[in-house]
Amino acid sequence: MPKLDKRTINEQEYDKPNMKKRESKEIRTESSEFNTTETLMNLKNLSVYYADNQAVKNIDMPIEKNKVTAFIGPSGCGKSTLLRTINRMNDQISVARYEGEINYDGLNILRKEVDVVTLRKEIGMVFQEPNPFPKPIKQNITHALKFMKKPKNEIEEIVESSLKQAALWEETKDRLNNSALSLSGGQQQRLCIARALALKPKVLLLDEPTSALDPISSAKVEDLIMELKKHYTIAVVTHNMEQAARISDNTAFMYNGDLIEFGETSRLFTNPREKRTEDYISGKFS
Amino acid sequence: MQTRRFFNEELQKLKLDVEELAEDTKVVLGTAVDALYNSDLTTAENIIANDYVYNEKEQRINDAAMIMIAKQQPVASDLRRLIIAIKISTDLERMADHGKNIAKATLFLGDDHPISIHPSIKEMMKIAIEMVDIAIKGYHLEDISFARLLAQKDDQVDNLYGQVTKDLLELTATNPDQIQYIMQTAYTSRYIERFADHITNIGESILYLVKGVSYDLNE
């Protein structure tokens, strides 16, 4: 009996009459009403360079609305660069430049004339280390709102709604004037998420949001992400494979600046198409 | 550089345990059918007494797979390997049960029953054992080229089962006083047919292991 290479098998080989594929082969891990596939953002032939070094290479992929998209890959693969490109954070790096497009709301947001301040209101970002302002909890939320000259009564409402959305209200409502630095690491990270939510963004970018947190705090942030996707579109960079599998709807695996594989998380983590994806998510990467 | 060496070794050990249980089912079926033809009640009793061994082996495979899932958080083909080891060992344990059921039928018939055992039952047993060999090889090599052959062999067993049932039904009409004995041999052919169905399930499991997609070999 000849041994066949399992990755070069012709699919038709198995569609013989007595080897019928079962119909319900697609694995769905959820059945919520948010299980839509509307594309909010489209990355088109996107490349990012730091001087001559191409950190992100000709990437095409959608970011689906009200879904969590996880970016995974080894250190230096370009996933954080890609995430930072989505709200033009790389503009602050003088040697950074882009090619290609990120189409969002009918606009290529990489065009020079796009106002990045307005863009970042729509596309908020939270970083790896919690970085609250060394100010009272409440001021962390109101700081940007005052800058935007929002009316006082509206600001009060936003403080409460943002903290509630970030699942932090109950823990902080009686000490809003205490320093944000008095909060635990996990609470500080949720405060940073609340701060981003206060600007009513449509997209949240999370760059390894739980890597500095203990397991309980990480679990709370993960629950929060699952809750927030009802109202926001979320893209998250994570080194934690199990976390990507738990919280994301779609996963993009990047390696050396290339997008190796992109697809539904439930499929990618059970039956990846690419050997490099399989080796990476199985911890066998060499 | 190979990583996760210890996990890979554990996976390999689990695979060998599954293959060992599969070899056991061949012995159980072959011995049970021989005992049936020879009215060997001692052997039949031994088969029944030793059935716990296969139950325990199945349990050990399931426990080992569960521990690996919990401790190693496997994904993709590694996850499928563990899930499939659990599924296959369940099928194998049921196959051993069918061998035990044949031994029970042998005891029921006793050593001075008036009927001769239908020759096709032995033929069914031989094909079923061939199917186990094919499935073990496919599982060991993670080779799916065997799948069609397994489906064809299962059809052969099904056809023989149909013939045996038909012949025995006719026999009951002409020998109504022997109906209880004839029924026991009919049950025996049914046990082998079920045994073969479980091997077909195993074939489907191996297809899923390799391809990550479910197939139905029974249609």
Side-chain angles (χ1 to χ4, degrees):
Chain A
M1 197 182 304
K3 187 180 179 201
L4 298 181
D5 179 353
K6 62 185 175 183
R7 294 190 183 280
T8 58
I9 293 291
N10 181 347
E11 193 73 22
Q12 289 173 343
E13 280 290 299
Y14 306 95
D15 291 333
K16 301 285 164 57
N18 58 351
M19 291 180 210
K20 195 173 173 186
K21 259 192 202 179
R22 293 191 205 279
E23 287 176 6
S24 58
K25 60 182 187 298
E26 281 296 319
I27 301 160
R28 286 274 169 188
T29 53
E30 60 180 273
S31 56
S32 79
E33 72 258 48
F34 304 103
N35 203 1
T36 57
T37 52
E38 187 183 340
T39 298
L40 183 78
M41 190 179 281
N42 239 324
L43 280 55
K44 222 170 141 186
N45 201 22
L46 178 69
S47 293
V48 184
Y49 296 83
Y50 295 122
D52 293 333
N53 175 35
Q54 189 175 5
V56 171
K57 298 173 183 170
N58 311 93
I59 285 182
D60 289 284
M61 64 175 278
I63 306 277
E64 291 178 353
K65 189 176 180 183
N66 295 118
K67 295 277 179 82
V68 178
T69 300
F71 290 89
I72 61 171
S75 297
C77 71
K79 56 190 188 299
S80 285
T81 294
L82 177 60
L83 196 77
R84 290 164 60 89
T85 305
I86 295 175
N87 77 344
R88 301 268 303 264
M89 291 292 283
N90 289 327
D91 284 15
Q92 293 161 353
I93 301 169
S94 59
V95 293
R97 64 187 171 87
Y98 316 111
E99 284 175 7
E101 297 176 4
I102 299 179
N103 291 312
Y104 166 71
D105 209 12
L107 184 72
N108 174 15
I109 58 177
L110 297 182
R111 289 171 66 157
K112 290 266 186 288
E113 59 269 29
V114 169
D115 175 21
V116 294
V117 175
T118 309
L119 178 72
R120 288 173 195 157
K121 276 190 221 158
E122 294 252 330
I123 304 174
M125 189 153 189
V126 174
F127 299 92
Q128 182 176 356
E129 290 284 340
N131 57 353
F133 303 138
K135 290 174 180 293
I137 294 165
K138 187 175 173 180
Q139 276 190 37
N140 269 268
I141 309 289
T142 60
H143 186 75
L145 300 173
K146 284 178 180 166
F147 181 72
M148 291 161 63
K149 299 193 171 23
K150 292 271 186 194
K152 196 177 175 192
N153 60 337
E154 196 177 326
I155 287 177
E156 294 297 323
E157 280 175 24
I158 293 173
V159 168
E160 185 172 336
S161 65
S162 304
L163 288 170
K164 277 183 174 168
Q165 279 193 310
L168 196 58
W169 175 249
E170 289 302 321
E171 294 162 58
T172 58
K173 65 182 178 187
D174 299 324
R175 48 174 175 148
L176 290 173
N177 292 317
N178 288 8
S179 169
L181 301 180
S182 68
L183 297 172
S184 71
Q187 288 171 325
Q188 288 184 18
Q189 192 64 310
R190 281 181 282 145
L191 178 62
C192 293
I193 293 173
R195 188 172 66 189
L197 296 179
L199 299 177
K200 299 192 186 305
K202 292 202 171 63
V203 182
L204 265 184
L205 307 175
L206 309 173
D207 192 357
E208 296 188 51
T210 63
S211 61
L213 305 183
D214 64 71
I216 300 293
S217 301
S218 295
K220 285 184 179 173
V221 172
E222 285 185 17
D223 282 350
L224 176 60
I225 291 169
M226 300 294 283
E227 191 63 30
L228 288 175
K229 75 171 182 176
K230 295 174 185 174
H231 307 288
Y232 305 93
T233 299
I234 296 170
V236 56
V237 163
T238 179
H239 271 124
N240 183 331
M241 292 302 105
E242 292 79 26
Q243 181 177 75
R246 279 193 297 269
I247 66 172
S248 71
D249 301 287
N250 295 316
T251 297
F253 168 57
M254 293 181 65
Y255 181 67
N256 204 18
D258 289 310
L259 178 64
I260 304 298
E261 186 165 353
F262 171 72
E264 199 177 325
T265 300
S266 55
R267 200 269 308 154
L268 192 136
F269 275 87
T270 53
N271 196 14
R273 297 198 173 102
E274 297 291 329
K275 186 170 186 315
R276 277 180 293 183
T277 312
E278 165 121 17
D279 287 348
Y280 181 72
I281 63 175
S282 308
K284 293 171 185 162
F285 218 71
S286 58
Chain B
M1 184 189 81
Q2 190 194 28
T3 55
R4 306 196 77 176
R5 181 166 61 87
F6 293 105
F7 178 44
N8 287 335
E9 285 172 4
E10 284 183 333
L11 277 175
Q12 194 58 32
K13 164 80 172 59
L14 187 74
K15 189 176 191 174
L16 293 176
D17 288 346
V18 172
E19 290 171 16
E20 182 185 301
L21 184 53
E23 292 288 348
D24 290 343
T25 66
K26 282 167 51 185
V27 174
V28 172
L29 180 68
T31 312
V33 171
D34 284 347
L36 174 72
Y37 277 90
N38 299 329
S39 297
D40 181 349
L41 306 189
T42 307
T43 300
E45 281 170 353
N46 284 340
I47 289 169
I48 295 166
N50 284 326
D51 183 60
Y52 78 96
V53 173
Y54 315 116
N55 298 345
E56 286 183 359
K57 283 187 178 182
E58 181 214 5
Q59 192 59 49
R60 278 204 298 275
I61 290 166
N62 288 352
D63 290 347
M66 285 287 285
I67 290 168
M68 276 189 260
I69 289 170
K71 290 173 72 174
Q72 302 284 354
Q73 287 111 42
V75 294
S77 59
D78 287 343
L79 177 61
R80 296 203 300 275
R81 282 186 184 99
L82 291 169
I83 299 295
I84 287 317
I86 293 171
K87 279 174 68 80
I88 290 179
S89 64
T90 303
D91 278 313
L92 291 170
E93 190 274 331
R94 293 292 299 132
M95 286 158 62
D97 278 349
H98 288 309
K100 180 183 72 177
N101 291 338
I102 293 169
K104 282 181 177 173
T106 301
L107 291 183
F108 183 91
L109 289 168
D111 53 8
D112 60 349
H113 61 79
I115 58 169
S116 64
I117 307 298
H118 197 296
S120 291
I121 290 178
K122 185 164 266 182
E123 183 65 18
M124 289 173 74
M125 175 267 281
K126 284 179 180 169
I127 299 171
I129 287 177
E130 282 172 29
M131 289 173 73
V132 179
D133 283 333
I134 294 165
I136 293 176
K137 192 171 180 184
Y139 177 64
H140 185 79
L141 299 173
E142 297 190 359
D143 175 357
I144 50 181
S145 62
F146 71 93
R148 256 182 87 72
L149 183 59
L150 212 52
Q152 285 165 358
K153 295 269 181 196
D154 188 45
D155 288 345
Q156 289 176 20
V157 172
D158 287 347
N159 291 339
L160 283 169
Y161 171 60
Q163 187 59 48
V164 169
T165 310
K166 186 169 169 284
D167 291 350
L168 293 179
L169 198 62
E170 286 170 5
L171 204 57
T172 57
T174 53
N175 301 276
D177 55 319
Q178 295 176 357
I179 196 161
Q180 56 182 328
Y181 300 111
I182 297 167
M183 286 303 292
Q184 287 301 323
T185 54
Y187 290 153
T188 300
S189 63
R190 172 70 178 157
Y191 297 140
I192 302 174
E193 189 270 335
R194 292 297 303 137
F195 184 100
D197 277 351
H198 282 289
I199 310 171
T200 312
N201 288 349
I202 291 172
E204 290 170 355
S205 293
I206 300 165
L207 277 168
Y208 179 73
L209 161 63
V210 175
K211 295 282 289 176
V213 177
S214 297
Y215 289 85
D216 193 341
L217 289 175
N218 283 312
E219 289 193 20

